[in-house]
Amino acid sequence: MMDSAFDRYALFRQRCHAGEKVAGTFQKTPSRHVGEILAHSGLDFAVLDAEHAPFGIEAIDEVLAATHPRGFPVLVRVPELRTSLIGACLDAGASGIVIPHVMSAENAADAVAAARFSAGGRGLSPSGRAGDYGARTLADFMAASDEAVNVWCQIEDVEGVANIDSICRVPGVDALFVGRADLMRSLGASTIDDAAVEDAVSGIAAAGTAAGMRLAIHIGRVAEAERFAKLGFTIFICGSDQSLLGKGASDIRQGIDPLK
């Protein structure tokens, strides 16, 4: 029987590294109740979207207070590569971080350093939730956290695409997370299905696969997963709590319409 959330987080990281297909969603609503629902849903993980939704550290802490005791892997997409915020999220019980706009190997190395004690950048205190409020020894806390924490680097700019081979060589990066919307903007394309975006995605996938890197992507519908799986993607973030709620409500309305 597993004795801590770290055990479950480490297992999730191992599953990702092994190339298992895992499915999650974005949580954009700062509510512990939404986090609890997702933890009970059967999904493999969730990502709190602190880049594009109103998640300050207090809201992040509130959600993690509900999900961490269940050992449900919740990563935080931080708004920027800021060591202090990354450390605070992990101390609060996040199972990993997603770094937006990684454009260089230096960015990737800074992300790893901010998330892992062994990489030398993360501040050390076991006094928070992740350290069982001081119940863990320093050595145990450092070892357990470094084994469990996921670091996903989001590739969503032309600079990141150009530097993809060097980014893939950075030790400690667990996955490349392709951001098609920002790639579209960066490439000057008009849709995420534009040929230029698809070429960039294929190039990232090929480089990541060659380097033994795991690949993650956001999809709007589960049906999209198959074509990306053929490119080597194994980590799928499908929709968000908002889109799931909106779709469910719309389906109810459409289901009642024929009764008129």
Side-chain angles (χ1 to χ4, degrees):
M1 179 177 179
M2 296 184 179
D3 60 7
S4 76
F6 274 143
D7 294 312
R8 296 184 184 275
Y9 296 171
L11 177 60
F12 172 67
R13 186 177 178 221
Q14 291 163 14
R15 290 176 60 205
C16 291
H17 275 249
E20 287 189 36
K21 304 292 193 302
V22 294
T25 193
F26 274 120
Q27 180 176 338
K28 292 178 176 286
T29 308
S31 163
R32 64 177 294 145
H33 303 96
V34 172
E36 287 180 305
I37 291 167
L38 294 177
H40 285 290
S41 69
L43 286 173
D44 299 297
F45 68 98
V47 179
L48 301 188
D49 192 1
E51 183 187 16
H52 294 299
F55 279 100
I57 189 58
E58 292 83 5
I60 291 169
D61 181 73
E62 182 73 8
V63 174
L64 293 174
T67 59
H68 181 76
R70 292 170 171 78
F72 180 61
V74 174
L75 295 86
V76 178
R77 178 160 71 175
V78 293
E80 59 186 345
L81 207 173
R82 192 164 85 243
T83 299
S84 59
L85 176 58
I86 290 168
C89 291
L90 296 175
D91 287 348
S95 69
I97 55 166
V98 178
I99 306 294
H101 299 290
V102 172
M103 302 186 198
S104 67
E106 182 181 6
N107 290 162
D110 287 345
V112 174
R116 298 223 172 84
F117 297 113
S118 59
R122 181 179 170 189
L124 174 60
S125 174
S127 62
R129 182 177 298 113
D132 293 335
Y133 298 103
R136 285 181 176 269
T137 66
L138 290 175
D140 175 57
F141 176 52
M142 288 191 292
S145 182
D146 279 2
E147 183 180 355
V149 167
N150 264 295
V151 178
W152 296 356
C153 290
Q154 192 148 352
I155 311 300
E156 51 189 344
D157 305 271
V158 291
E159 295 88 347
V161 176
N163 294 319
I164 192 63
D165 290 330
S166 60
I167 291 171
C168 287
R169 289 194 293 269
V170 175
V173 174
D174 294 293
L176 304 175
F177 175 24
V178 176
R180 288 184 291 162
D182 274 298
L183 266 180
M184 177 194 76
R185 172 198 52 78
S186 186
L187 290 164
S190 56
T191 71
I192 62 172
D193 296 318
D194 188 278
V197 177
E198 295 201 345
D199 286 347
V201 172
S202 296
I204 295 167
T209 299
M213 188 76 69
R214 292 306 166 199
L215 303 169
I217 196 164
H218 177 262
I219 54 178
R221 299 173 296 108
V222 172
E224 292 184 88
E226 184 176 1
R227 72 184 177 101
F228 290 111
K230 291 177 181 177
L231 292 175
F233 286 86
T234 57
I235 301 169
F236 299 97
I237 304 172
C238 188
S240 69
D241 58 326
Q242 294 174 349
S243 66
L244 293 171
L245 176 62
K247 176 70 164 58
S250 177
D251 286 350
I252 291 172
R253 177 65 268 174
Q254 292 177 28
I256 296 298
D257 281 344
L259 302 179
K260 292 180 180 178

